[in-house]
Amino acid sequence: MLVTGATGRVGRVVIDQLLDAGVPVRALTRRSEAAATLPAKAEVFVGDLTVPESLDPALSGAGAVFLVWTAPPQAAEAVVERLAAHVRRVVFLSSPHQTPHPLFQQPNSMAVLHAGIERLIAATGLESTIIRPGMFASNSLAWWAPAIRAGEVVRWPYNASESAPVDDRDIAAVAARTLYQGGYVGGDYVLTGPESLTQAAQVDVIGDALGRRIAFEEIAPDEFRSLWESTVPSSAVDMLLAAWSAAVGQPAYITTAVADILGTAPRTFRQWAVDHAIAFTEGS
């Protein structure tokens, strides 16, 4: 099994899951020095999605690929053609852009990219499985951890916007299971956590995990945009603001896909927060 995005927050855990199941693993990384961060049992290949021919050594003899897209859109067609020439199956980490819920139906360039790659995969005849995580629980590290570590107020828009954060470990476990076990070809799975929580409630849960109250202050969208425009592309800021606005007062879309595939209930956001509490105090 070849895992792309091998050092990312999902791909890295997929590697562990596959090795734990006794499945031989190949890891694709863009930098050779990243090999030191990967398990010794994983066979590491250096390759770049923007240079499709660089993938050939990793793909030769592989049976299936976990595809995490981390490159510009224009590279996708050549990469998917390369996959189809070497392997039988692909599990693609996509997004819930087809899901009829306001949170996922706002203009979103990433959704457009994912939909295009899905069409390319379908056109090749590859056996495919599509997994579509909703809001990642780990997003809260990028969003709120800096203020929490500094003991500051979390200043954020749309405190009443609801989502069902899914634990990255559950996403990875589903990806691994659908890679090495039969029965998932043609599957299309939206992955969510088990409960709908407002953004303010998620901050409260993190506070509970840390044993202290975290102050939360709602700010206007324009103020959020001005605070984040220097670190996040404006298109991403616009997408997030539109999604959060649309989800205010709307219970999150929740599925049973994680439990259906793994046979165990998905982790709650509280479990995730407890397990990652140190990242909110000392950094990751």
Side-chain angles (χ1 to χ4, degrees), residues 73-86:
Q74 56 267 28
E77 184 172 4
V79 168
V80 172
E81 288 177 354
R82 221 85 188 182
L83 299 185
H86 286 279

Side-chain angles (χ1 to χ4, degrees), residues 24-281:
V25 177
R26 294 177 175 182
L28 185 74
T29 178
R30 287 189 298 171
R31 298 180 302 277
S32 57
E33 58 269 25
T37 69
L38 296 167
K41 289 183 179 179
E43 187 178 7
V44 180
F45 290 81
V46 177
D48 191 325
L49 294 175
T50 65
V51 186
E53 60 271 20
S54 71
L55 309 180
D56 288 351
L59 288 169
S60 180
V65 174
F66 177 52
L67 179 62
V68 182
W69 192 258
T70 57
Q74 56 267 28
E77 184 172 4
V79 168
V80 172
E81 288 177 354
R82 221 85 188 182
L83 299 185
H86 286 279
V87 303
R88 300 186 313 276
R89 293 199 55 232
V90 61
V91 174
F92 177 46
L93 184 69
S94 187
S95 53
H97 58 83
Q98 299 175 336
T99 302
H101 186 279
L103 183 70
F104 304 122
Q105 289 302 308
Q106 307 313 306
N108 184 337
S109 58
M110 186 60 69
V112 172
L113 170 64
H114 286 158
I117 294 173
E118 289 169 31
R119 287 192 293 271
L120 291 170
I121 291 171
T124 66
L126 275 164
E127 297 177 355
S128 66
T129 304
I130 311 297
I131 59 175
R132 306 180 185 278
M135 203 66 78
F136 284 54
S138 60
N139 286 347
S140 59
L141 288 172
W143 294 345
W144 304 322
I148 294 170
R149 290 183 200 124
E152 298 172 354
V153 174
V154 172
R155 305 179 71 245
W156 209 253
Y158 300 114
N159 68 343
S161 180
E162 299 191 38
S163 63
V166 57
D167 194 304
D168 304 36
R169 295 168 295 185
D170 287 334
I171 300 169
V174 167
R177 184 71 59 88
T178 57
L179 271 169
Y180 74 81
Q181 277 197 353
Y184 299 105
V185 173
D188 191 316
Y189 305 103
V190 176
L191 311 180
T192 72
E195 56 189 339
S196 181
L197 295 168
T198 66
Q199 299 200 98
Q202 291 171 43
V203 173
D204 286 343
V205 168
I206 294 168
D208 289 345
L210 299 179
R212 61 183 174 89
R213 180 180 177 277
I214 299 170
F216 187 105
E217 176 187 337
E218 184 167 11
I219 60 175
D222 285 344
E223 184 177 359
F224 175 82
R225 187 177 282 108
S226 67
L227 289 171
W228 283 79
E229 63 185 359
S230 62
T231 55
V232 179
S234 59
S235 59
V237 171
D238 291 343
M239 179 271 291
L240 287 170
L241 288 171
W244 291 331
S245 173
V248 170
Q250 297 276 350
Y253 185 85
I254 295 174
T255 75
T256 61
V258 171
D260 293 343
I261 293 170
L262 301 181
T264 55
R267 294 174 175 89
T268 65
F269 186 70
R270 186 172 298 276
Q271 287 175 282
W272 180 89
V274 168
D275 292 344
H276 294 83
I278 193 169
F280 290 95
T281 58

